[in-house]
Amino acid sequence: DTGVSQNPRHKITKRGQNVTFRCDPISEHNRLYWYRQTLGQGPEFLTYFQNEAQLEKSRLLSDRFSAERPKGSFSTLEIQRTEQGDSAMYLCASSLTSGEPGEQYFGPGTRLTVT
Amino acid sequence: EDQVTQSPEALRLQEGESSSLNCSYTVSGLRGLFWYRQDPGKGPEFLFTLYSAGEEKEKERLKATLTKKESFLHITAPKPEDSATYLCALSRTSYDKVIFGPGTSLSVIP
């Protein structure tokens, strides 16, 4: 297994457009997490899945953000009507349910720039 | 509200100059305290899990320790390749989200 992969690695979009990111976790990992990270800050929790069930979503997350994990495999994160404040690195991580929640394996991230 | 803070924000060390990074936390019950390393342009890389006060974990030149309110990451005789941002994080339960601190940016000068 080559680890967690994310696509695209970079995305430039105009304000008001919709964007979708994909995350492929480590194959045997049933937990999947999405984070947002801006310069000089730690990753900020957005949401997480156990298999296909979305167990928690940050209350800071606006309704423009939605995530899915059909069939408990890959996941997508969609941002509708993007705003300049959405510019950030979007990170995906996965872990085993039997492991510690903090022992996560991160992907390389998708850097979003909203112009 | 659960909170994680880290200090200093940035640290410059000469190669071989040992030091410590601090992580302070407030949480209503701690399941685990985690340390990560993050290189520029990459996702964080898991280093350690600490569960209870007094516990210590080591990996090469790094040693992490835990008290009831703080964790320290001690770096002994650092090398330039130790330059990175070090992140502290915690969870309250085995099913809870993980909360990250803002990180300490470490630069080791040859």
Side-chain angles (χ1 to χ4, degrees):
Chain A
D1 196 335
T2 56
V4 178
S5 62
Q6 293 187 245
N7 288 288
R9 294 293 309 278
H10 304 273
K11 179 71 177 179
I12 300 173
T13 191
K14 292 185 177 180
R15 188 177 54 190
Q17 297 295 304
N18 299 345
V19 294
T20 300
F21 309 141
R22 176 176 170 130
C23 171
D24 288 89
I26 294 172
S27 57
E28 63 267 28
H29 286 185
N30 35 27
R31 284 187 180 174
L32 187 148
Y33 305 80
W34 285 100
Y35 296 88
R36 176 172 60 191
Q37 187 175 28
T38 54
L39 197 63
Q41 299 298 316
E44 176 190 16
F45 171 80
L46 295 179
T47 188
Y48 93 92
F49 294 83
Q50 179 152 311
N51 300 312
E52 64 274 12
Q54 187 173 19
L55 296 189
E56 188 168 354
K57 184 176 177 179
S58 170
R59 65 178 186 273
L60 301 175
L61 209 59
S62 81
D63 291 341
R64 297 183 297 105
F65 287 71
S66 62
E68 294 183 339
R69 193 184 182 195
K71 303 178 183 178
S73 56
F74 71 92
S75 177
T76 58
L77 177 70
E78 181 183 18
I79 308 174
Q80 296 182 329
R81 304 180 304 281
T82 52
E83 302 171 356
Q84 287 188 322
D86 297 331
S87 295
M89 176 75 86
Y90 289 83
L91 293 165
C92 174
S94 68
S95 70
L96 289 167
T97 301
S98 58
E100 284 300 329
E103 294 181 9
Q104 299 178 13
Y105 293 81
F106 280 80
T110 294
R111 181 166 296 284
L112 173 66
T113 302
V114 181
T115 62
Chain B
E1 184 178 336
D2 300 338
Q3 194 168 14
V4 181
T5 58
Q6 293 186 246
S7 62
E9 187 174 312
L11 181 63
R12 284 171 62 97
L13 298 174
Q14 288 294 128
E15 184 172 0
E17 179 187 2
S18 302
S19 189
S20 294
L21 314 182
N22 174 265
C23 169
S24 297
Y25 62 90
T26 52
V27 65
S28 53
L30 179 70
R31 164 71 183 183
L33 187 292
F34 314 100
W35 282 96
Y36 281 80
R37 169 191 171 124
Q38 186 173 24
D39 292 303
K42 296 187 176 180
E45 175 188 351
F46 171 76
L47 293 172
F48 304 111
T49 301
L50 299 165
Y51 293 103
S52 56
E55 188 175 2
E56 297 183 352
K57 292 277 179 73
E58 286 189 65
K59 181 178 181 178
E60 296 180 0
R61 294 174 293 281
L62 302 176
K63 182 169 78 172
T65 61
L66 182 65
T67 71
K68 287 190 175 180
K69 294 293 184 185
E70 294 177 305
S71 178
F72 295 92
L73 185 66
H74 308 277
I75 303 175
T76 301
K79 298 182 178 181
E81 53 262 42
D82 294 322
S83 297
T85 295
Y86 291 86
L87 298 162
C88 170
L90 60 80
S91 66
R92 291 179 297 170
T93 72
S94 60
Y95 286 90
D96 208 1
K97 66 185 180 191
V98 173
I99 302 168
F100 281 83
T104 293
S105 176
L106 173 67
S107 298
V108 182
I109 313 302

